[in-house]
Amino acid sequence: MAGLSGSGGGEPRVALVTGGSRGIGREVARQLAGQGFRVVVTSRKRRPAEAAAREIGDGVTGHQLEASDPESIRALATFVKREIGRVDVLVNNAAVLLADGESILKIAEAAFVESWRANALGPLLLTRELAPLLSKSGAGRVVNVSSGAGQISSMTTYAPAYSISKAALNAITVMLAAALPNAKVNCVDPGWVRTDMGGPGAPRGVEQGADTIVWLATLPASGPTGGFFRDRKPIAW
């Protein structure tokens, strides 16, 4: 890919996409595979991940990941370190949306805890596990899939547990960008997309939702880090 440094030696670059068996994650995996990446896609269950990998095509591997479970995160990282030995791109896409119609005054504590673990802590732990490989890459890219719901500047009463966890992911992005100077770490609002989470009435297709994610995953050396983007343009926190 033109402009992307650190990919020499003829060995395929490796991208790991969590929540990659369907929706936006699957489309991101498909596009990256089409650009020559070796891709690992994950899902909560092993079989959907493996089925998606087969359908996307050669060079794609499926692996189980429960994004809210530290043991599952470590198992995935161990697999990548032992069996592949490199990671150039990490797309933290897996997420949950719980009790979206509940008021912040009434929503159950468990919804906040599960949302935090899956949407914020999970991406942080996985990035930390893979940080040595991302730094070694020379072109390491981390893309955290956030949401406009996590923008504090325009936050409403919508889906409190989800919105707050995405705001936390945005803060994690800024800190990781500072902690990983040899990589680029950004987050993205893909917009309202027609997926199982977004529903059939959403105005965007998965191709449009994936576009900025793939752009951030393949930034040149001169590209930004520590930012929040929608449609390839920076947006307010």
Side-chain angles (χ1 to χ4, degrees):
M1 183 179 309
L4 185 60
S5 63
S7 57
E11 186 178 347
R13 288 159 292 165
V14 175
L16 193 160
V17 182
T18 71
S21 66
R22 61 186 182 181
I24 295 173
R26 181 190 176 105
E27 178 61 18
V28 168
R30 187 191 69 79
Q31 291 189 26
L32 290 174
Q35 295 188 26
F37 281 85
R38 178 179 179 182
V39 182
V40 179
V41 297
T42 78
S43 179
R44 279 183 168 180
K45 302 293 184 181
R46 176 178 56 84
R47 288 184 179 178
E50 293 178 344
R54 286 193 301 270
E55 291 167 7
I56 294 169
D58 293 340
V60 184
T61 302
H63 199 282
Q64 188 273 339
L65 172 68
E66 172 50 72
S68 63
D69 180 2
E71 287 191 14
S72 182
I73 290 168
R74 284 191 290 270
L76 172 62
T78 298
F79 163 78
V80 171
K81 294 171 186 175
R82 290 180 180 175
E83 302 299 324
I84 301 176
R86 70 180 288 176
V87 173
D88 304 279
V89 170
L90 171 60
V91 178
N92 287 308
N93 171 70
V96 297
L97 172 60
L98 305 174
D100 58 312
E102 290 288 333
S103 162
I104 193 170
L105 298 176
K106 296 181 179 180
I107 188 171
E109 178 183 344
F112 282 104
V113 173
E114 186 173 348
S115 297
W116 157 253
R117 294 181 68 87
N119 298 354
L121 182 60
L124 171 59
L125 294 180
L126 183 56
T127 305
R128 294 200 318 185
E129 288 283 347
L130 298 177
L133 294 179
L134 289 160
S135 295
K136 183 180 176 181
S137 163
R141 306 289 182 261
V142 180
V143 185
N144 292 324
V145 181
S146 185
S147 169
Q151 284 184 277
I152 293 178
S153 58
S154 59
M155 192 173 286
T156 65
T157 58
Y158 170 72
Y162 177 79
S163 298
I164 292 170
S165 69
K166 289 297 188 179
L169 180 61
N170 293 352
I172 287 167
T173 299
V174 174
M175 288 200 170
L176 284 174
L180 293 170
N182 294 327
K184 294 187 183 298
V185 185
N186 293 288
C187 59
V188 58
D189 168 22
W192 185 14
V193 180
R194 290 187 296 277
T195 62
D196 288 352
M197 182 182 289
R204 294 187 170 206
V206 291
E207 296 85 357
Q208 190 174 5
D211 178 74
T212 302
I213 299 170
V214 174
W215 173 68
L216 290 170
T218 56
L219 284 173
S222 60
T225 191
F228 192 10
F229 295 86
R230 181 192 298 131
D231 295 334
R232 304 194 181 192
K233 297 178 181 178
I235 59 175
W237 296 108

